[in-house]
Amino acid sequence: MTASSTLSIPTVGDVPRHLAIIMDGNGRWATRRYLPRTAGHARGVQSVRRILRACGEAGVQYLTLFAFSSENWRRPQDEVSLLMRLFVQTLEKEVDKLVTQGIRLRIVGDVSAFEPALQSLIAEAEKKTAHNDRLHLTIAANYGGRWDILQATRRLLAKRPELIKQPQEFSEDLLTPHLSMSFAPEPDLFIRTGGEQRISNFLIWQLAYTELYFTETFWPDFDAKHLAKAFEWYRSRERRFGRTSAQTVAAQTDSI
Ligand code: IPE
Ligand code: IPE
Ligand code: MG
């Protein structure tokens, strides 16, 4: 089990242990170049490779990327199909590299909505990388924060039906092991590229005390230099978790 930011005060380092990213702006990147939106998604895959490498070098242990939201099915059928195809191709091409690089891959989200072929690729990729732990790469696909909280609640109630009659027993400790990110600490840093300043139903539970960084840069343009800038900003934050500034400073001095 990993520490909860609301039940205890997490330890904080100079580099985020867990980085969560909303990779936004692919469509606009392409439209500005008179290209189809799908060209932006293809370029976005290159940014994933770049950022994954940079995170490994910086010592990030968990990288979680929002690839497809539970609301993205609302997009035109062509774009959804292309995104699914890209997902399949990327898994086929990249998984062996992840194995040799010591990267563990997980997919979080309601994968039951995907084509059976994609579901098997996901299962295979997770199995092949299951022994790795140098870096934990998680792709959120058909993921929604509300879905996550609901599915966790359903799983808990299925396991502990007596809780319905004892609602006062229902606690954070009981629920969080059923959330799909239960294997990871809560994100230290959240980045959203593409200029929007919203969460768009990403990790709504887990972002409770995460530092939020927004940049205008479109995802296909986001590179190691942009990431370093976000990390520099992160280092400048005082993470208080509800305490005063004086208490936070005193706690840091005590731990040195
Ligand atoms: C993010 O880029 C990728 C997905 C949502 C799959 P967008 O496709 O949302 O790009 P914009 O926001 O339209 O520019
Ligand atoms: C969020 O981006 C989802 C992903 C990046 C996968 P969207 O582009 O779908 O978000 P909204 O619609 O602008 O809020
Ligand atoms: Mg978008």
Side-chain angles (χ1 to χ4, degrees):
M1 258 315 291
T2 48
S4 148
S5 59
T6 42
L7 299 179
S8 61
I9 295 166
T11 39
V12 168
D14 273 352
V15 174
R17 217 171 131 206
H18 183 175
L19 168 63
I21 307 182
I22 297 189
M23 311 182 286
D24 197 23
N26 293 351
R28 281 164 288 161
W29 180 91
T31 307
R32 293 223 176 147
R33 285 163 178 77
Y34 305 100
L35 295 167
R37 291 176 52 83
T38 48
H41 298 315
R43 277 297 278 257
V45 177
Q46 294 181 23
S47 293
V48 171
R49 275 191 217 106
R50 231 174 15 221
I51 295 308
L52 179 60
R53 194 177 328 117
C55 281
E57 285 165 9
V60 171
Q61 290 169 36
Y62 297 86
L63 173 65
T64 303
L65 303 174
F66 204 6
F68 192 86
S69 77
S70 43
E71 289 69 55
N72 285 146
W73 298 107
R74 296 169 180 164
R75 293 193 177 196
Q77 181 57 43
D78 282 5
E79 183 167 339
V80 171
S81 306
L82 178 283
L83 283 166
M84 294 300 146
R85 223 170 30 246
L86 205 58
F87 197 6
V88 168
Q89 284 169 3
T90 310
L91 284 174
E92 284 175 343
K93 217 170 129 202
E94 306 287 336
V95 170
D96 287 342
K97 286 187 221 159
L98 299 182
V99 174
T100 53
Q101 288 164 3
I103 296 169
R104 178 160 185 181
L105 178 71
R106 292 181 183 86
I107 311 298
V108 295
D110 183 4
V111 295
S112 71
F114 295 142
E115 293 273 320
L118 178 52
Q119 288 188 47
S120 345
L121 268 175
I122 289 173
E124 203 183 309
E126 288 186 332
K127 200 169 150 211
K128 272 190 176 170
T129 63
H131 302 297
N132 291 345
D133 74 348
R134 197 173 71 80
L135 196 155
H136 295 253
L137 170 65
T138 304
I139 307 291
N142 193 22
Y143 179 88
R146 291 187 180 179
W147 163 84
D148 199 2
I149 295 166
L150 285 170
Q151 68 79 28
T153 311
R154 284 188 204 115
R155 274 163 55 183
L156 172 61
L157 290 179
K159 195 175 142 211
R160 301 273 308 268
E162 76 280 7
L163 284 173
I164 295 171
K165 293 211 183 87
Q166 303 160 336
Q168 69 288 353
E169 297 290 314
F170 192 106
S171 67
E172 202 187 304
D173 269 343
L174 288 180
L175 187 69
T176 47
H178 298 285
L179 289 168
S180 48
M181 294 298 299
S182 61
F183 59 88
E186 292 170 20
D188 299 292
L189 175 64
F190 158 99
I191 297 176
R192 181 171 186 146
T193 62
E196 309 299 346
Q197 304 199 357
R198 54 178 171 251
I199 302 296
S200 300
N201 199 14
F202 193 25
L203 303 163
I204 51 180
W205 175 286
Q206 296 84 349
L207 293 174
Y209 270 104
T210 303
E211 298 298 326
L212 307 178
Y213 181 87
F214 299 95
T215 169
E216 294 290 323
T217 307
F218 294 135
W219 178 248
D221 289 329
F222 195 77
D223 62 17
K225 278 207 282 304
H226 294 102
L227 184 72
K229 208 168 141 203
F231 284 176
E232 196 185 309
W233 174 86
Y234 172 76
R235 273 194 297 280
S236 76
R237 308 307 301 159
E238 181 177 63
R239 303 191 69 195
R240 293 193 285 274
F241 301 101
R243 298 166 297 176
T244 64
S245 181
Q247 286 175 303
T248 310
V249 172
Q252 273 159 1
T253 325
D254 285 351
S255 67
I256 293 170

